Amino acid sequence: MLEFINPNNGSFLSNKGDYLEDEFGNIFPILNGIPRFSTEKNYTSNFGFQWNIFSRTQIDQVNNKIGSSQSETRFFLTTGWKASEMEGFKILEAGSGAGRFSQVILSQTKAALYSFDYSEAVDANRSNNKHFDASRFQLSQASIYEIPYNDNSFDKVFCFGVLQHTPDFESAIRSLITKAKPGGEIVVDFYRINGWWTKVHAKYLLRFITRKISHERLLFFISLNIRWMIYLFDFLCFIKLGFLTRFLPIADLRNFPQNLDSKQRIEWAILDTFDMFSPKYDNPQRLDNVVNMFKKMNTKVTFSGLIKLNELSNQITIVRAIKI
Ligand SMILES: C[S@@+](CC[C@H](N)C(=O)[O-])C[C@H]1O[C@@H](n2cnc3c(N)ncnc32)[C@H](O)[C@@H]1O
């Protein structure tokens, strides 16, 4: 496995049991078996809260039982990677959340995975994936702007569901590219600006209030109201007025896997609605702007556009690029 470095000065870190230390005496604690490069409270506390409550909701395999394959399908469709060709690859996962995609790589490929997240979601990831061999899975709590690995280290880098929630989209992309080897591939997804109407949406109309409400209270309000909102959402779709659902303060249920039972659907709806209203940052981007960011950072863009995950859903916007 790759060694961690101190992201502030680039020096290697040795493992002292409870902490990592560099030659200058700088230390980073190891808590719950996870090196922490960012222990202070930061703007991602909503995600730490969310992923530790809903730690298993979106995980394909819970207790080694296969529940669904939605994360697997999304991962391979989005990246275009083939599990059989990934043996021995070093993969970097940025912003791993509760570890749904970590699990896909660990269970479906023979690659070595290096995952990090800025929030305490790493604890949920660990509890979901601790049964995988530590010789191919290294987890840390770190920021995308200070990734604790040497530059040019990874064959593949991916970052799903994260970039729109960072304060500086372009610097985040630059940081990911820096860590890929020359010839390595970077795949990202992001919320897209389609036109002026993108922000005419309950999310953007209400977020300036909701993101300031305490996480507990916001979750309480959402849970209290979720049933009638699901009912109304489904009704609007049924009478072919689905376009009006953008004014309902609930996540887009059409993006959910089709095989959820009603209890799971409620749980997903609460999780995704919290995920929509609680983040400090929500910065959708124009596709051509993101492609240009990649182009000016020494990469060749191999694909940019939409990936359709199921018949009903909105698509995911992605960019794939190779580092030159
Ligand atoms: C919507 S969640 C997506 C999690 C996971 N990729 C998934 O799709 O299930 C966004 C994640 O990005 C993480 N994040 C946000 N800013 C970050 C940063 N600067 N560095 C690393 N992770 C960050 C959050 O903590 C959160 O877990």
Side-chain angles (χ1 to χ4, degrees), residues 166-188:
T166 60
D168 184 342
F169 197 100
E170 187 161 353
S171 300
I173 288 184
R174 182 175 305 111
S175 188
L176 296 176
I177 295 172
T178 309
K179 299 300 163 187
K181 292 177 181 173
E185 188 175 11
I186 303 104
V187 183
V188 303

mmCIF file with all atom_site columns, all heavy atoms in Angstrom, residues 166-188:
data_model
loop_
_atom_site.group_PDB
_atom_site.id
_atom_site.type_symbol
_atom_site.label_atom_id
_atom_site.label_alt_id
_atom_site.label_comp_id
_atom_site.label_asym_id
_atom_site.label_entity_id
_atom_site.label_seq_id
_atom_site.pdbx_PDB_ins_code
_atom_site.Cartn_x
_atom_site.Cartn_y
_atom_site.Cartn_z
_atom_site.occupancy
_atom_site.B_iso_or_equiv
_atom_site.pdbx_formal_charge
_atom_site.auth_seq_id
_atom_site.auth_comp_id
_atom_site.auth_asym_id
_atom_site.auth_atom_id
_atom_site.pdbx_PDB_model_num
ATOM 1   N N   . THR A 1 166 ? -18.228 21.450 -2.623  1.00 0.00 ? 166 THR A N   1
ATOM 2   C CA  . THR A 1 166 ? -16.963 22.030 -2.167  1.00 0.00 ? 166 THR A CA  1
ATOM 3   C C   . THR A 1 166 ? -16.972 23.537 -2.440  1.00 0.00 ? 166 THR A C   1
ATOM 4   O O   . THR A 1 166 ? -17.663 24.005 -3.351  1.00 0.00 ? 166 THR A O   1
ATOM 5   C CB  . THR A 1 166 ? -15.761 21.400 -2.911  1.00 0.00 ? 166 THR A CB  1
ATOM 6   O OG1 . THR A 1 166 ? -15.909 21.648 -4.313  1.00 0.00 ? 166 THR A OG1 1
ATOM 7   C CG2 . THR A 1 166 ? -15.673 19.910 -2.660  1.00 0.00 ? 166 THR A CG2 1
ATOM 8   N N   . PRO A 1 167 ? -16.179 24.291 -1.671  1.00 0.00 ? 167 PRO A N   1
ATOM 9   C CA  . PRO A 1 167 ? -16.211 25.750 -1.859  1.00 0.00 ? 167 PRO A CA  1
ATOM 10  C C   . PRO A 1 167 ? -15.522 26.204 -3.141  1.00 0.00 ? 167 PRO A C   1
ATOM 11  O O   . PRO A 1 167 ? -15.825 27.281 -3.642  1.00 0.00 ? 167 PRO A O   1
ATOM 12  C CB  . PRO A 1 167 ? -15.454 26.280 -0.624  1.00 0.00 ? 167 PRO A CB  1
ATOM 13  C CG  . PRO A 1 167 ? -14.692 25.127 -0.088  1.00 0.00 ? 167 PRO A CG  1
ATOM 14  C CD  . PRO A 1 167 ? -15.408 23.886 -0.491  1.00 0.00 ? 167 PRO A CD  1
ATOM 15  N N   . ASP A 1 168 ? -14.595 25.406 -3.678  1.00 0.00 ? 168 ASP A N   1
ATOM 16  C CA  . ASP A 1 168 ? -13.855 25.826 -4.879  1.00 0.00 ? 168 ASP A CA  1
ATOM 17  C C   . ASP A 1 168 ? -13.754 24.634 -5.834  1.00 0.00 ? 168 ASP A C   1
ATOM 18  O O   . ASP A 1 168 ? -12.860 23.785 -5.704  1.00 0.00 ? 168 ASP A O   1
ATOM 19  C CB  . ASP A 1 168 ? -12.460 26.335 -4.462  1.00 0.00 ? 168 ASP A CB  1
ATOM 20  C CG  . ASP A 1 168 ? -11.666 26.867 -5.644  1.00 0.00 ? 168 ASP A CG  1
ATOM 21  O OD1 . ASP A 1 168 ? -12.006 26.554 -6.805  1.00 0.00 ? 168 ASP A OD1 1
ATOM 22  O OD2 . ASP A 1 168 ? -10.688 27.600 -5.406  1.00 0.00 ? 168 ASP A OD2 1
ATOM 23  N N   . PHE A 1 169 ? -14.696 24.574 -6.750  1.00 0.00 ? 169 PHE A N   1
ATOM 24  C CA  . PHE A 1 169 ? -14.853 23.436 -7.670  1.00 0.00 ? 169 PHE A CA  1
ATOM 25  C C   . PHE A 1 169 ? -13.568 23.189 -8.474  1.00 0.00 ? 169 PHE A C   1
ATOM 26  O O   . PHE A 1 169 ? -13.058 22.073 -8.561  1.00 0.00 ? 169 PHE A O   1
ATOM 27  C CB  . PHE A 1 169 ? -16.017 23.774 -8.608  1.00 0.00 ? 169 PHE A CB  1
ATOM 28  C CG  . PHE A 1 169 ? -16.591 22.614 -9.354  1.00 0.00 ? 169 PHE A CG  1
ATOM 29  C CD1 . PHE A 1 169 ? -17.758 21.993 -8.924  1.00 0.00 ? 169 PHE A CD1 1
ATOM 30  C CD2 . PHE A 1 169 ? -15.984 22.144 -10.504 1.00 0.00 ? 169 PHE A CD2 1
ATOM 31  C CE1 . PHE A 1 169 ? -18.302 20.928 -9.630  1.00 0.00 ? 169 PHE A CE1 1
ATOM 32  C CE2 . PHE A 1 169 ? -16.513 21.081 -11.216 1.00 0.00 ? 169 PHE A CE2 1
ATOM 33  C CZ  . PHE A 1 169 ? -17.673 20.470 -10.776 1.00 0.00 ? 169 PHE A CZ  1
ATOM 34  N N   . GLU A 1 170 ? -13.032 24.259 -9.044  1.00 0.00 ? 170 GLU A N   1
ATOM 35  C CA  . GLU A 1 170 ? -11.879 24.117 -9.946  1.00 0.00 ? 170 GLU A CA  1
ATOM 36  C C   . GLU A 1 170 ? -10.636 23.638 -9.194  1.00 0.00 ? 170 GLU A C   1
ATOM 37  O O   . GLU A 1 170 ? -9.908  22.760 -9.673  1.00 0.00 ? 170 GLU A O   1
ATOM 38  C CB  . GLU A 1 170 ? -11.619 25.458 -10.650 1.00 0.00 ? 170 GLU A CB  1
ATOM 39  C CG  . GLU A 1 170 ? -10.573 25.351 -11.715 1.00 0.00 ? 170 GLU A CG  1
ATOM 40  C CD  . GLU A 1 170 ? -10.621 26.499 -12.728 1.00 0.00 ? 170 GLU A CD  1
ATOM 41  O OE1 . GLU A 1 170 ? -11.556 27.319 -12.671 1.00 0.00 ? 170 GLU A OE1 1
ATOM 42  O OE2 . GLU A 1 170 ? -9.717  26.549 -13.568 1.00 0.00 ? 170 GLU A OE2 1
ATOM 43  N N   . SER A 1 171 ? -10.398 24.160 -8.003  1.00 0.00 ? 171 SER A N   1
ATOM 44  C CA  . SER A 1 171 ? -9.231  23.712 -7.226  1.00 0.00 ? 171 SER A CA  1
ATOM 45  C C   . SER A 1 171 ? -9.392  22.257 -6.823  1.00 0.00 ? 171 SER A C   1
ATOM 46  O O   . SER A 1 171 ? -8.408  21.515 -6.740  1.00 0.00 ? 171 SER A O   1
ATOM 47  C CB  . SER A 1 171 ? -9.065  24.527 -5.946  1.00 0.00 ? 171 SER A CB  1
ATOM 48  O OG  . SER A 1 171 ? -8.900  25.841 -6.240  1.00 0.00 ? 171 SER A OG  1
ATOM 49  N N   . ALA A 1 172 ? -10.632 21.855 -6.574  1.00 0.00 ? 172 ALA A N   1
ATOM 50  C CA  . ALA A 1 172 ? -10.868 20.448 -6.206  1.00 0.00 ? 172 ALA A CA  1
ATOM 51  C C   . ALA A 1 172 ? -10.495 19.539 -7.373  1.00 0.00 ? 172 ALA A C   1
ATOM 52  O O   . ALA A 1 172 ? -9.827  18.506 -7.205  1.00 0.00 ? 172 ALA A O   1
ATOM 53  C CB  . ALA A 1 172 ? -12.326 20.253 -5.790  1.00 0.00 ? 172 ALA A CB  1
ATOM 54  N N   . ILE A 1 173 ? -10.884 19.928 -8.578  1.00 0.00 ? 173 ILE A N   1
ATOM 55  C CA  . ILE A 1 173 ? -10.531 19.130 -9.754  1.00 0.00 ? 173 ILE A CA  1
ATOM 56  C C   . ILE A 1 173 ? -9.014  19.093 -9.945  1.00 0.00 ? 173 ILE A C   1
ATOM 57  O O   . ILE A 1 173 ? -8.420  18.044 -10.201 1.00 0.00 ? 173 ILE A O   1
ATOM 58  C CB  . ILE A 1 173 ? -11.229 19.683 -11.014 1.00 0.00 ? 173 ILE A CB  1
ATOM 59  C CG1 . ILE A 1 173 ? -12.705 19.346 -10.932 1.00 0.00 ? 173 ILE A CG1 1
ATOM 60  C CG2 . ILE A 1 173 ? -10.612 19.117 -12.285 1.00 0.00 ? 173 ILE A CG2 1
ATOM 61  C CD1 . ILE A 1 173 ? -13.488 19.738 -12.135 1.00 0.00 ? 173 ILE A CD1 1
ATOM 62  N N   . ARG A 1 174 ? -8.382  20.250 -9.767  1.00 0.00 ? 174 ARG A N   1
ATOM 63  C CA  . ARG A 1 174 ? -6.917  20.301 -9.944  1.00 0.00 ? 174 ARG A CA  1
ATOM 64  C C   . ARG A 1 174 ? -6.242  19.334 -8.968  1.00 0.00 ? 174 ARG A C   1
ATOM 65  O O   . ARG A 1 174 ? -5.314  18.598 -9.316  1.00 0.00 ? 174 ARG A O   1
ATOM 66  C CB  . ARG A 1 174 ? -6.415  21.725 -9.689  1.00 0.00 ? 174 ARG A CB  1
ATOM 67  C CG  . ARG A 1 174 ? -4.909  21.848 -9.903  1.00 0.00 ? 174 ARG A CG  1
ATOM 68  C CD  . ARG A 1 174 ? -4.380  23.266 -9.772  1.00 0.00 ? 174 ARG A CD  1
ATOM 69  N NE  . ARG A 1 174 ? -5.053  24.190 -10.651 1.00 0.00 ? 174 ARG A NE  1
ATOM 70  C CZ  . ARG A 1 174 ? -5.867  25.162 -10.263 1.00 0.00 ? 174 ARG A CZ  1
ATOM 71  N NH1 . ARG A 1 174 ? -6.117  25.330 -8.982  1.00 0.00 ? 174 ARG A NH1 1
ATOM 72  N NH2 . ARG A 1 174 ? -6.432  25.962 -11.134 1.00 0.00 ? 174 ARG A NH2 1
ATOM 73  N N   . SER A 1 175 ? -6.752  19.304 -7.755  1.00 0.00 ? 175 SER A N   1
ATOM 74  C CA  . SER A 1 175 ? -6.168  18.447 -6.732  1.00 0.00 ? 175 SER A CA  1
ATOM 75  C C   . SER A 1 175 ? -6.296  16.964 -7.107  1.00 0.00 ? 175 SER A C   1
ATOM 76  O O   . SER A 1 175 ? -5.357  16.179 -6.932  1.00 0.00 ? 175 SER A O   1
ATOM 77  C CB  . SER A 1 175 ? -6.897  18.758 -5.420  1.00 0.00 ? 175 SER A CB  1
ATOM 78  O OG  . SER A 1 175 ? -6.307  18.137 -4.367  1.00 0.00 ? 175 SER A OG  1
ATOM 79  N N   . LEU A 1 176 ? -7.455  16.595 -7.670  1.00 0.00 ? 176 LEU A N   1
ATOM 80  C CA  . LEU A 1 176 ? -7.650  15.194 -8.097  1.00 0.00 ? 176 LEU A CA  1
ATOM 81  C C   . LEU A 1 176 ? -6.687  14.845 -9.226  1.00 0.00 ? 176 LEU A C   1
ATOM 82  O O   . LEU A 1 176 ? -6.072  13.771 -9.231  1.00 0.00 ? 176 LEU A O   1
ATOM 83  C CB  . LEU A 1 176 ? -9.091  14.984 -8.585  1.00 0.00 ? 176 LEU A CB  1
ATOM 84  C CG  . LEU A 1 176 ? -10.203 15.165 -7.555  1.00 0.00 ? 176 LEU A CG  1
ATOM 85  C CD1 . LEU A 1 176 ? -11.571 15.030 -8.232  1.00 0.00 ? 176 LEU A CD1 1
ATOM 86  C CD2 . LEU A 1 176 ? -10.070 14.147 -6.428  1.00 0.00 ? 176 LEU A CD2 1
ATOM 87  N N   . ILE A 1 177 ? -6.557  15.754 -10.186 1.00 0.00 ? 177 ILE A N   1
ATOM 88  C CA  . ILE A 1 177 ? -5.693  15.488 -11.341 1.00 0.00 ? 177 ILE A CA  1
ATOM 89  C C   . ILE A 1 177 ? -4.241  15.322 -10.876 1.00 0.00 ? 177 ILE A C   1
ATOM 90  O O   . ILE A 1 177 ? -3.506  14.450 -11.353 1.00 0.00 ? 177 ILE A O   1
ATOM 91  C CB  . ILE A 1 177 ? -5.820  16.626 -12.380 1.00 0.00 ? 177 ILE A CB  1
ATOM 92  C CG1 . ILE A 1 177 ? -7.237  16.641 -12.958 1.00 0.00 ? 177 ILE A CG1 1
ATOM 93  C CG2 . ILE A 1 177 ? -4.776  16.476 -13.484 1.00 0.00 ? 177 ILE A CG2 1
ATOM 94  C CD1 . ILE A 1 177 ? -7.546  17.841 -13.845 1.00 0.00 ? 177 ILE A CD1 1
ATOM 95  N N   . THR A 1 178 ? -3.838  16.152 -9.935  1.00 0.00 ? 178 THR A N   1
ATOM 96  C CA  . THR A 1 178 ? -2.460  16.097 -9.443  1.00 0.00 ? 178 THR A CA  1
ATOM 97  C C   . THR A 1 178 ? -2.109  14.707 -8.905  1.00 0.00 ? 178 THR A C   1
ATOM 98  O O   . THR A 1 178 ? -0.979  14.241 -9.044  1.00 0.00 ? 178 THR A O   1
ATOM 99  C CB  . THR A 1 178 ? -2.293  17.118 -8.286  1.00 0.00 ? 178 THR A CB  1
ATOM 100 O OG1 . THR A 1 178 ? -2.786  18.355 -8.732  1.00 0.00 ? 178 THR A OG1 1
ATOM 101 C CG2 . THR A 1 178 ? -0.858  17.263 -7.863  1.00 0.00 ? 178 THR A CG2 1
ATOM 102 N N   . LYS A 1 179 ? -3.084  14.064 -8.314  1.00 0.00 ? 179 LYS A N   1
ATOM 103 C CA  . LYS A 1 179 ? -2.792  12.763 -7.674  1.00 0.00 ? 179 LYS A CA  1
ATOM 104 C C   . LYS A 1 179 ? -2.790  11.607 -8.666  1.00 0.00 ? 179 LYS A C   1
ATOM 105 O O   . LYS A 1 179 ? -2.303  10.517 -8.363  1.00 0.00 ? 179 LYS A O   1
ATOM 106 C CB  . LYS A 1 179 ? -3.804  12.481 -6.551  1.00 0.00 ? 179 LYS A CB  1
ATOM 107 C CG  . LYS A 1 179 ? -3.770  13.514 -5.435  1.00 0.00 ? 179 LYS A CG  1
ATOM 108 C CD  . LYS A 1 179 ? -2.412  13.586 -4.755  1.00 0.00 ? 179 LYS A CD  1
ATOM 109 C CE  . LYS A 1 179 ? -2.250  14.871 -3.957  1.00 0.00 ? 179 LYS A CE  1
ATOM 110 N NZ  . LYS A 1 179 ? -0.895  15.052 -3.418  1.00 0.00 ? 179 LYS A NZ  1
ATOM 111 N N   . ALA A 1 180 ? -3.363  11.791 -9.869  1.00 0.00 ? 180 ALA A N   1
ATOM 112 C CA  . ALA A 1 180 ? -3.347  10.713 -10.872 1.00 0.00 ? 180 ALA A CA  1
ATOM 113 C C   . ALA A 1 180 ? -1.964  10.601 -11.499 1.00 0.00 ? 180 ALA A C   1
ATOM 114 O O   . ALA A 1 180 ? -1.249  11.604 -11.643 1.00 0.00 ? 180 ALA A O   1
ATOM 115 C CB  . ALA A 1 180 ? -4.396  11.003 -11.949 1.00 0.00 ? 180 ALA A CB  1
ATOM 116 N N   . LYS A 1 181 ? -1.586  9.377  -11.888 1.00 0.00 ? 181 LYS A N   1
ATOM 117 C CA  . LYS A 1 181 ? -0.334  9.185  -12.633 1.00 0.00 ? 181 LYS A CA  1
ATOM 118 C C   . LYS A 1 181 ? -0.509  9.751  -14.044 1.00 0.00 ? 181 LYS A C   1
ATOM 119 O O   . LYS A 1 181 ? -1.641  9.759  -14.553 1.00 0.00 ? 181 LYS A O   1
ATOM 120 C CB  . LYS A 1 181 ? -0.061  7.685  -12.811 1.00 0.00 ? 181 LYS A CB  1
ATOM 121 C CG  . LYS A 1 181 ? 0.266   6.925  -11.562 1.00 0.00 ? 181 LYS A CG  1
ATOM 122 C CD  . LYS A 1 181 ? 0.422   5.434  -11.932 1.00 0.00 ? 181 LYS A CD  1
ATOM 123 C CE  . LYS A 1 181 ? 0.718   4.610  -10.710 1.00 0.00 ? 181 LYS A CE  1
ATOM 124 N NZ  . LYS A 1 181 ? 0.707   3.166  -10.986 1.00 0.00 ? 181 LYS A NZ  1
ATOM 125 N N   . PRO A 1 182 ? 0.556   10.100 -14.732 1.00 0.00 ? 182 PRO A N   1
ATOM 126 C CA  . PRO A 1 182 ? 0.420   10.400 -16.161 1.00 0.00 ? 182 PRO A CA  1
ATOM 127 C C   . PRO A 1 182 ? -0.165  9.168  -16.858 1.00 0.00 ? 182 PRO A C   1
ATOM 128 O O   . PRO A 1 182 ? 0.276   8.038  -16.591 1.00 0.00 ? 182 PRO A O   1
ATOM 129 C CB  . PRO A 1 182 ? 1.867   10.659 -16.611 1.00 0.00 ? 182 PRO A CB  1
ATOM 130 C CG  . PRO A 1 182 ? 2.573   11.071 -15.350 1.00 0.00 ? 182 PRO A CG  1
ATOM 131 C CD  . PRO A 1 182 ? 1.924   10.304 -14.228 1.00 0.00 ? 182 PRO A CD  1
ATOM 132 N N   . GLY A 1 183 ? -1.175  9.342  -17.662 1.00 0.00 ? 183 GLY A N   1
ATOM 133 C CA  . GLY A 1 183 ? -1.870  8.204  -18.285 1.00 0.00 ? 183 GLY A CA  1
ATOM 134 C C   . GLY A 1 183 ? -3.006  7.681  -17.411 1.00 0.00 ? 183 GLY A C   1
ATOM 135 O O   . GLY A 1 183 ? -3.806  6.850  -17.851 1.00 0.00 ? 183 GLY A O   1
ATOM 136 N N   . GLY A 1 184 ? -3.084  8.172  -16.184 1.00 0.00 ? 184 GLY A N   1
ATOM 137 C CA  . GLY A 1 184 ? -4.165  7.747  -15.278 1.00 0.00 ? 184 GLY A CA  1
ATOM 138 C C   . GLY A 1 184 ? -5.465  8.453  -15.636 1.00 0.00 ? 184 GLY A C   1
ATOM 139 O O   . GLY A 1 184 ? -5.466  9.493  -16.299 1.00 0.00 ? 184 GLY A O   1
ATOM 140 N N   . GLU A 1 185 ? -6.563  7.873  -15.187 1.00 0.00 ? 185 GLU A N   1
ATOM 141 C CA  . GLU A 1 185 ? -7.872  8.406  -15.570 1.00 0.00 ? 185 GLU A CA  1
ATOM 142 C C   . GLU A 1 185 ? -8.583  9.030  -14.368 1.00 0.00 ? 185 GLU A C   1
ATOM 143 O O   . GLU A 1 185 ? -8.502  8.509  -13.249 1.00 0.00 ? 185 GLU A O   1
ATOM 144 C CB  . GLU A 1 185 ? -8.721  7.258  -16.136 1.00 0.00 ? 185 GLU A CB  1
ATOM 145 C CG  . GLU A 1 185 ? -10.022 7.742  -16.737 1.00 0.00 ? 185 GLU A CG  1
ATOM 146 C CD  . GLU A 1 185 ? -10.801 6.617  -17.413 1.00 0.00 ? 185 GLU A CD  1
ATOM 147 O OE1 . GLU A 1 185 ? -10.449 5.444  -17.245 1.00 0.00 ? 185 GLU A OE1 1
ATOM 148 O OE2 . GLU A 1 185 ? -11.784 6.947  -18.104 1.00 0.00 ? 185 GLU A OE2 1
ATOM 149 N N   . ILE A 1 186 ? -9.290  10.118 -14.653 1.00 0.00 ? 186 ILE A N   1
ATOM 150 C CA  . ILE A 1 186 ? -10.062 10.802 -13.601 1.00 0.00 ? 186 ILE A CA  1
ATOM 151 C C   . ILE A 1 186 ? -11.520 10.828 -14.068 1.00 0.00 ? 186 ILE A C   1
ATOM 152 O O   . ILE A 1 186 ? -11.798 11.224 -15.204 1.00 0.00 ? 186 ILE A O   1
ATOM 153 C CB  . ILE A 1 186 ? -9.569  12.261 -13.416 1.00 0.00 ? 186 ILE A CB  1
ATOM 154 C CG1 . ILE A 1 186 ? -8.073  12.278 -13.097 1.00 0.00 ? 186 ILE A CG1 1
ATOM 155 C CG2 . ILE A 1 186 ? -10.341 12.968 -12.301 1.00 0.00 ? 186 ILE A CG2 1
ATOM 156 C CD1 . ILE A 1 186 ? -7.209  12.680 -14.219 1.00 0.00 ? 186 ILE A CD1 1
ATOM 157 N N   . VAL A 1 187 ? -12.441 10.422 -13.191 1.00 0.00 ? 187 VAL A N   1
ATOM 158 C CA  . VAL A 1 187 ? -13.871 10.482 -13.520 1.00 0.00 ? 187 VAL A CA  1
ATOM 159 C C   . VAL A 1 187 ? -14.595 11.223 -12.401 1.00 0.00 ? 187 VAL A C   1
ATOM 160 O O   . VAL A 1 187 ? -14.425 10.885 -11.223 1.00 0.00 ? 187 VAL A O   1
ATOM 161 C CB  . VAL A 1 187 ? -14.492 9.081  -13.690 1.00 0.00 ? 187 VAL A CB  1
ATOM 162 C CG1 . VAL A 1 187 ? -15.948 9.198  -14.113 1.00 0.00 ? 187 VAL A CG1 1
ATOM 163 C CG2 . VAL A 1 187 ? -13.716 8.248  -14.691 1.00 0.00 ? 187 VAL A CG2 1
ATOM 164 N N   . VAL A 1 188 ? -15.369 12.228 -12.787 1.00 0.00 ? 188 VAL A N   1
ATOM 165 C CA  . VAL A 1 188 ? -16.133 12.980 -11.778 1.00 0.00 ? 188 VAL A CA  1
ATOM 166 C C   . VAL A 1 188 ? -17.585 13.126 -12.240 1.00 0.00 ? 188 VAL A C   1
ATOM 167 O O   . VAL A 1 188 ? -17.864 13.116 -13.436 1.00 0.00 ? 188 VAL A O   1
ATOM 168 C CB  . VAL A 1 188 ? -15.551 14.404 -11.551 1.00 0.00 ? 188 VAL A CB  1
ATOM 169 C CG1 . VAL A 1 188 ? -14.090 14.340 -11.155 1.00 0.00 ? 188 VAL A CG1 1
ATOM 170 C CG2 . VAL A 1 188 ? -15.727 15.297 -12.775 1.00 0.00 ? 188 VAL A CG2 1
#
